[in-house]
């Protein structure tokens, strides 16, 4: 009788821990997304108000936030697409690669003359990748 009680308690505790870790993962994913939004906001503000230092700061923040994104948040992404978790990870991974490529292009475009049309185009590509991922993974 005591053995079954201990097993039941351990089972309940492990289930509660699993739910808690899901919540922690979702919260960390939310913080990462907020960091992306802040970076994109800095880039956009820099483009609109001719402030290359803000664009650089936003690109650096976006670069830091996007490094190893899928490795850090892949489990939380799966919760949005439980029917096909392999696709969710794969799609997010390739989206992150395309975003990082556009971050590099955006950063290099800031070193040239003050023609921000390329910078704005790379910003738009990054934003489109974000929206595309949300459409696929979160099924907007």
């Amino acid at each position: 009788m005591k053995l079954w009680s201990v097993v039941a308690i351990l089972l309940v505790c492990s289930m509660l821990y699993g739910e808690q870790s899901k919540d922690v993962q979702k919260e960390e994913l939310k913080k990462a997304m907020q960091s992306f939004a802040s970076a994109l906001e800095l880039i956009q503000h820099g483009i609109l108000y001719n402030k290359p230092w803000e664009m650089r700061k936003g690109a650096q923040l976006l670069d830091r936030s996007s490094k190893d994104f899928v490795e850090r948040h892949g489990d939380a992404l799966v919760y949005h697409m439980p029917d096909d978790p392999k696709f969710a990870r794969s799609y997010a991974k390739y989206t992150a690669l395309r975003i990082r490529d556009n971050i590099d292009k955006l950063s290099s475009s800031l070193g040239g003359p003050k023609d921000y049309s390329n910078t704005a185009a790379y910003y738009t590509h990054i934003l489109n990748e974000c929206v595309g991922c949300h459409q696929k993974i979160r099924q907007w």
Side-chain angles (χ1 to χ4, degrees):
M1 184 73 169
K2 286 184 181 181
L3 180 62
W4 286 109
S5 299
V6 171
V7 170
I9 290 171
L10 289 174
L11 183 61
V12 168
C13 288
S14 67
M15 288 173 56
L16 290 174
Y17 176 76
E19 287 301 315
Q20 182 182 14
S21 67
K22 286 180 187 179
D23 291 340
V24 168
Q25 289 173 348
K26 286 181 183 180
E27 194 60 36
E28 287 176 1
L29 179 62
K30 183 178 177 181
K31 287 178 186 176
M33 291 296 158
Q34 289 170 341
S35 178
F36 287 156
S38 296
L40 290 170
E41 191 176 320
L42 276 171
I43 295 168
Q44 182 180 16
H45 191 266
I47 292 168
L48 294 174
Y49 293 97
N50 194 22
K51 295 181 178 181
W53 62 91
E54 278 192 14
M55 290 181 262
R56 257 189 216 91
K57 186 177 176 183
Q60 290 169 350
L61 178 59
L62 195 58
D63 188 45
R64 278 194 313 270
S65 300
S66 65
K67 282 187 181 168
D68 304 322
F69 175 78
V70 176
E71 289 78 11
R72 287 182 287 136
H73 304 291
D75 292 339
L77 292 171
V78 168
Y79 299 132
H80 292 290
M81 198 171 227
D83 295 338
D84 198 356
K86 189 175 180 179
F87 173 78
R89 282 179 178 273
S90 175
Y91 191 84
K93 179 181 176 183
Y94 289 111
T95 298
L97 287 174
R98 289 189 299 270
I99 288 172
R100 296 201 36 93
D101 181 50
N102 282 298
I103 292 168
D104 292 341
K105 290 176 183 177
L106 185 145
S107 295
S108 66
S109 74
L110 293 171
K114 292 190 177 191
D115 174 17
Y116 296 126
S117 58
N118 285 335
T119 305
Y122 297 129
Y123 167 79
T124 302
H125 290 305
I126 292 168
L127 191 60
N128 286 337
E129 289 295 337
C130 294
V131 170
C133 193
H134 281 243
Q135 285 177 330
K136 289 283 189 186
I137 304 297
R138 299 189 69 172
Q139 291 127 15
W140 278 2

